[in-house]
Amino acid sequence: RVYVLVVIIILVKMAQVVFALLAVFLVSLCTGQDFCPKEKCPHFCFCCVQDFEVRLYGATDWITTKLDSTRIRDYLAANSRLKTYVKRQAEAGFEIPDDCWPVLVTVTEGEGDPKMSVSWFVPSGGKKGEIYDPLVKLETKPEATIYVRVFGGAPSTETGQENTKTLREALAKTGKTFDPSTHAAATYESYFSFTHHNEIWISAASQQQN
């Protein structure tokens, strides 16, 4: 009986090691960014209520590419284009880190299908080149007041839509005026991470979240 117990313990330990190695392998497959801690985000939160936060963001730089659909393969393809762009910039002697927060998916609704894009944050102080790429653009978002809803769990189209709806309803209930056609989803971890901090961003009225 003791022998059987020892064998069972050894098998359990081996299974734990295999699981841990598999998890590391899956994380390494992610073509997105490695992320800085949320605490380093350059914003000031001056009002936090039950369903949302009100944040003031300074002007920020981003690299952006088109997102063809919400399917995971198109999302990974868009991140791969941004990663390739960053590598080309580095080869030309320009510095755009690929380890900064967050991946931002922006959705603009209107007639027909919504327009979507994926953006990576470019921290201030980096050397930004002018290498032309028809699929990637370097843009500056102006200072803005952003309404933010935070939620956990693996990000998906469904959870994004649910939390966007919840945020819009909360803003309307509290009398906030906001951009009704555009919202953005911010993720701070690899899709394969065990924990997730996700956010929905909606600009205050008369501001653009391009």
Side-chain angles (χ1 to χ4, degrees):
R1 291 181 181 180
V2 174
Y3 174 78
V4 173
L5 181 60
V6 170
V7 171
I8 291 175
I9 293 175
I10 293 175
L11 291 175
V12 170
K13 293 295 184 181
M14 291 178 62
Q16 290 175 339
V17 171
V18 171
F19 181 81
L21 292 174
L22 178 61
V24 172
F25 173 71
L26 289 175
V27 170
S28 69
L29 291 178
C30 179
T31 58
Q33 296 167 289
D34 297 323
F35 299 89
C36 297
K38 175 179 178 292
E39 290 72 19
K40 294 184 179 180
C41 299
H43 74 267
F44 173 66
C45 179
F46 58 87
C47 178
C48 299
V49 296
Q50 181 176 359
D51 293 315
F52 62 88
E53 300 176 1
V54 185
R55 298 180 184 171
L56 176 62
Y57 282 89
T60 49
D61 293 328
W62 303 76
I63 51 174
T64 299
T65 190
K66 179 182 177 182
L67 178 61
D68 294 325
S69 78
T70 57
R71 290 177 296 187
I72 186 64
R73 68 179 183 183
D74 289 328
Y75 174 75
L76 293 177
N79 278 279
S80 180
R81 285 198 298 273
L82 294 176
K83 199 174 190 69
T84 299
Y85 178 81
V86 168
K87 289 181 178 179
R88 290 180 59 205
Q89 292 280 357
E91 291 170 357
F94 300 106
E95 299 173 3
I96 296 183
D98 65 350
D99 60 352
C100 294
W101 77 274
V103 168
L104 195 67
V105 176
T106 303
V107 180
T108 301
E109 302 162 353
E111 296 182 1
D113 296 330
K115 296 180 179 179
M116 298 180 291
S117 63
V118 176
S119 303
W120 285 7
F121 173 67
V122 179
S124 60
K127 294 173 59 180
K128 298 175 283 291
E130 298 295 335
I131 296 177
Y132 174 73
D133 188 321
L135 300 177
V136 178
K137 65 178 180 179
L138 177 63
E139 61 180 354
T140 298
K141 296 181 184 294
E143 178 180 295
T145 299
I146 306 293
Y147 301 121
V148 179
R149 177 173 173 80
V150 178
F151 62 101
S156 68
T157 301
E158 291 74 20
T159 57
Q161 292 174 342
E162 291 172 2
N163 282 276
T164 299
K165 181 175 181 292
T166 300
L167 177 54
R168 285 172 172 165
E169 291 174 347
L171 294 174
K173 184 177 180 180
T174 54
K176 302 293 185 182
T177 56
F178 57 92
D179 183 342
S181 60
T182 301
H183 69 276
T187 58
Y188 291 83
E189 293 86 17
S190 159
Y191 182 81
F192 301 105
S193 175
F194 291 113
T195 60
H196 294 274
H197 176 98
N198 312 304
E199 298 176 348
I200 297 296
W201 294 4
I202 295 180
S203 295
S206 302
Q207 298 182 117
Q208 296 291 327
Q209 182 74 4
N210 296 323

